[in-house]
Amino acid sequence: MNSVERATFARAVPLDDLSLRPKPPRPPASPNTVLAIVCVGICLANLDLFIVNVALPSIGQDFKDASLDDMSWVLNGYAIAYAALLVFFGRLAERHRRNLSFLLGVGLFTVASAACAAASNVEMLTAFRIVQAAGAALMTPTSLGLLLAVFAPEKRGSAVRTWTAIGGLAAALGPVVGGVLVAVNWRWIFFVNVPIGLIAMVIGWWKLPEIEGHDAPRPKFFDAVLVTGGIGALTFAIVKVSDWGLRAPAIGYSFAAAAILLALFVWRCLRLKNPFVDPALFRIRQFTGAALVMAPYSAAFGAMLLSVALWEQTAWGWSALQTGLAIAPGPLLVPITSLLVAGRLIARFGAAPVVTAGIVAFAAGLVAWASLIGPEPHPAFVILGMIPTGIGVGLTFPTLMGVSAAGLPPSSFATGSGVINMIRQASLAIGVAIFVAIIGSPSSLPERLVAFQRGWWVMVAIVALGLVPTYLYLRQKPKAP
C-alpha cells in the first residue's frame, strides 16, 4: 500500500473505528451460569441411569420377550461401566482443560444415545449403553471439577448440594419421564437426549470458562479393566444364582473371579506409586464415612426404583405412563427437601443427624410397600411409600456428596468425586442384581408378591447398614472447652 492509498484508507476508516480494535475478551461466566450448564450434563447422566426402568417391559416385548436377567444388563452394563470409568476419566481429565473434557463427554453421550435408539436387539442396546456410560463418566467428574473451580471455598458445599440435588432429581425423575416417552415409543427415551446434548454443547462451548489441567499422573487403564471385570463378575453371579443355584460351577467361578480381580485391584492401589484410587483419600474421615454410607444407600435406591416399576407393570398391569405418574410424588420431593430443608438442618444439627433422618425415611417407604402392597392395584399405597423415600433421597444423597467433597484438597476434586460416584454406581448395579436374584421367576401372582415383599425387607436391612458408618465417621466431635 503506497502513501496515497494509506491516506485514502485513513480518511475512509478512522483510526478510532471500533471495528478495527481488537475485540475485548469474553467476560467470564458467573459461577451460577457454570452451575446451570454442568447441571445439564449431570442431569443427562443421571436421568438416563434410571429412565430405562419403566421401559424394560416394553423393550423386552420388542426384543422377543427377552428375560429379566438379560434385560437387567441394560441397566447394570451402564452402571458398571459408569462406575469403573468415572475414576479413570476423572484422573485423565485432570491433565486437560476441564471445559473441553466436559464437552467431549456430552458429545460421546449424545452420539451413543442416538445409537441406543436404533438398537435392534438386547446385546446391541447393552453395548451402546456402555458407550453412553463412558460419556457420562467423562461428564460427571469434569462437571464437578468445573463447579469447584469457579465457586469460592465457603460456597462450594452449597454448590455441590445444589448440583447433587438436581442430579438426584434427574435420576429419580427417570421413571416419570420414561413413562411419558414410552407411551409414544421406548426408543424416545434415548432420542430425547440428542437435542438436549447438542444444545448443551453449543452453550458450553460459548460460556464455560477455560479451566486448565495440571501435571497429574496418567491413570492406568489396566486397573479400570480390573475393577470393571470384578464388579461385572460379582453382578453376574448374583443375578444368576437364583437360576443356577449356589453350588453351580459357573457361580463359583464367577464369585472367585470377582474376588481375585477386586483383590488384585486393591493390592495395586496399595502398592503402586500412582494408584488408580489413592488410599490417602480414605484417610480423610469425612470422605471415608460418606463412602461407607453411600454403598448400602445406593444399593437400596437402585433396587427400589426398579422394583416399584416392575411391580406396577408386571403384577398390576399398569402402563409405563401410569407407573411413572404414580412414582412422581417421590421425585418431586427430592429438590424440595434438599434445597429448602437439608441445608438448614445441616447448619443446625450437622451432617450425621440429617443422613440418619434420610436413611430412616427411606427405609420407612420400603417398609410401607412390604407391608401394604397386595395383588390388587392401589395407587395410594405406592404414593405412601414414595413420599418418605423421596424425602430420604433429598436428605441423604446431597448431604453425602457435600460431606465427601468438603474434606478434599483442591488437587483431588475430580478424582475424589470420581471415587465416590464409582462407589455409588457399583452399588446401584449390585443392588439391582440382588433384587433380581431375590424375585427370581415366580409363576403366579401370590408367589410374585411374596418375592417382592422379601426383596423390600432385604433392602430395608441393607440401607439400615448405613447408620453404622454415619455414627462412627460423620458425627461431629465435641469441641474441647
Side-chain angles (χ1 to χ4, degrees), residues 35-49 78 82 86 102 106 136 139-141 143-144 162-168 170-171 397 401 421 424-425:
L35 174 62
I37 294 171
V38 300
C39 278
V40 174
I42 200 63
C43 281
L44 283 174
N46 282 292
L47 182 67
D48 222 66
L49 184 61
Y78 182 99
Y82 193 9
L86 271 168
F102 174 77
V106 175
M139 283 192 292
T140 302
S143 65
L144 187 56
T162 302
W163 179 82
T164 51
I166 293 175
F397 180 53
M401 289 299 295
N421 275 292
R424 177 191 173 216
Q425 303 305 329

Side-chain angles (χ1 to χ4, degrees), residues 85-387:
L85 293 174
L86 271 168
V87 177
F88 179 76
F89 282 148
R91 293 277 304 280
L92 198 62
E94 288 181 347
R95 300 170 56 90
H96 305 282
R97 277 174 47 186
R98 294 178 187 176
N99 57 316
L100 294 183
S101 298
F102 174 77
L103 294 175
L104 178 61
V106 175
L108 182 59
F109 187 91
T110 302
V111 171
S113 296
C116 286
S120 58
N121 54 57
V122 175
E123 293 76 19
M124 187 182 295
L125 178 58
T126 302
F128 289 138
R129 285 276 287 169
I130 292 173
V131 180
Q132 248 193 337
L138 186 54
M139 283 192 292
T140 302
T142 51
S143 65
L144 187 56
L146 282 165
L147 198 62
L148 296 175
V150 299
F151 275 91
E154 66 274 9
K155 295 183 178 180
R156 285 174 184 159
S158 175
V160 170
R161 283 196 299 273
T162 302
W163 179 82
T164 51
I166 293 175
L169 171 63
L173 279 175
V176 183
V177 178
V180 174
L181 295 175
V182 170
V184 182
N185 189 292
W186 68 262
R187 297 181 187 275
W188 276 98
I189 67 176
F190 300 111
F191 272 132
V192 73
N193 295 330
V194 177
I196 298 174
L198 292 175
I199 293 172
M201 289 175 65
V202 171
I203 297 176
W205 179 266
W206 178 37
K207 287 288 188 180
L208 285 178
E210 298 179 1
I211 307 296
E212 297 293 337
H214 57 274
D215 189 20
R218 185 182 298 274
K220 293 178 173 60
F221 184 71
F222 178 66
D223 292 321
V225 173
L226 285 177
V227 72
T228 303
I231 297 171
L234 177 61
T235 304
F236 177 81
I238 294 172
V239 167
K240 289 296 185 181
V241 72
S242 62
D243 291 338
W244 297 348
L246 190 59
R247 296 183 179 181
I251 297 297
Y253 295 149
S254 295
F255 277 123
I260 292 170
L261 291 172
L262 293 176
L264 181 57
F265 171 75
V266 173
W267 180 82
R268 285 174 60 85
C269 289
L270 294 173
R271 297 295 297 271
L272 294 182
K273 292 182 178 179
N274 175 28
F276 190 79
V277 174
D278 189 353
L281 289 173
F282 293 94
R283 289 195 284 270
I284 302 172
R285 185 179 182 86
Q286 289 175 289
F287 184 88
T288 300
L292 291 175
V293 180
M294 184 69 78
Y297 158 75
S298 297
F301 179 65
M304 178 272 293
L305 280 181
L306 174 65
S307 66
V308 177
L310 282 179
W311 176 262
E312 292 173 6
Q313 293 183 74
T314 61
W316 288 349
W318 286 5
S319 68
L321 180 58
Q322 287 175 303
T323 298
L325 292 175
I327 293 174
L332 291 176
L333 284 169
V334 173
I336 296 173
T337 304
S338 176
L339 298 176
L340 301 182
V341 179
R344 296 178 182 179
L345 292 179
I346 293 170
R348 183 170 181 179
F349 300 106
V354 176
V355 172
T356 300
I359 290 174
V360 170
F362 187 91
L366 296 173
V367 170
W369 287 323
S371 305
L372 299 176
I373 283 183
E376 295 298 323
H378 209 308
F381 289 164
V382 176
I383 295 172
L384 196 61
M386 286 308 310
I387 289 175

Side-chain angles (χ1 to χ4, degrees), residues 296 363 366 455-466:
L366 296 173
W456 284 321
W457 282 116
V458 170
M459 289 305 131
V460 170
I462 288 176
V463 76
L465 293 175

